[in-house]
Amino acid sequence: MRKKKILLLSEFSTLKSGFGKMGYSLLKYLHSTDKYDIREFACFCAPQDLLQQRDQRLFQEVNSGKYPWKIYPTLPYDEENGAFQGSPINQFGAYRFEDVLLDFSPDCVASFLDHWQLGY
């Protein structure tokens, strides 16, 4: 039997915000059970955060095994800036949500965000 797939939409789990800390705790616990395939759809995460171009400390944390799940950033790649600027809720993942769903095909989507951030 395959593992259930869970996508968590929240603030980037490396952030020191309440949503970031709650998301990290939940992701860490779910991953530790080895029952689920976990992915994070991370608000306020830029692709550069995952590619070492912006924050060396963050890159080392994400790639040290502290974050053993795949992370989808909600902020745009350079070539996506035009589409990203089209709506204020894009910073919360509106313009990329369907692509993430098609890539991962989760069984469950959970969210730690304010309701107005999920207008899409």
Side-chain angles (χ1 to χ4, degrees), residues 13-14 24 27-29 31-32 38 40 50 56-71:
S13 58
T14 62
Y24 176 73
L27 289 162
K28 183 178 172 183
Y29 170 75
H31 184 268
S32 74
I38 306 295
E40 177 180 5
L50 307 175
Q56 178 68 30
R57 176 202 55 82
L58 179 59
F59 176 80
Q60 289 172 345
E61 280 186 11
V62 168
N63 293 289
S64 69
K66 181 178 178 184
Y67 299 88
W69 49 83
K70 182 174 180 177
I71 300 168

Side-chain angles (χ1 to χ4, degrees), residues 11-27:
E11 291 183 5
F12 193 12
S13 58
T14 62
L15 297 177
K16 303 304 180 212
S17 68
F19 288 135
K21 289 178 182 180
M22 288 189 319
Y24 176 73
S25 294
L26 178 61
L27 289 162

Side-chain angles (χ1 to χ4, degrees), residues 53-97:
Q53 297 173 8
R54 195 164 80 169
D55 186 338
Q56 178 68 30
R57 176 202 55 82
L58 179 59
F59 176 80
Q60 289 172 345
E61 280 186 11
V62 168
N63 293 289
S64 69
K66 181 178 178 184
Y67 299 88
W69 49 83
K70 182 174 180 177
I71 300 168
Y72 294 100
T74 60
L75 298 181
Y77 291 88
D78 291 338
E79 63 273 9
E80 297 174 322
N81 276 326
F84 181 81
Q85 300 299 328
S87 172
I89 62 171
N90 282 339
Q91 65 184 320
F92 308 117
Y95 78 106
R96 184 173 285 148
F97 186 65

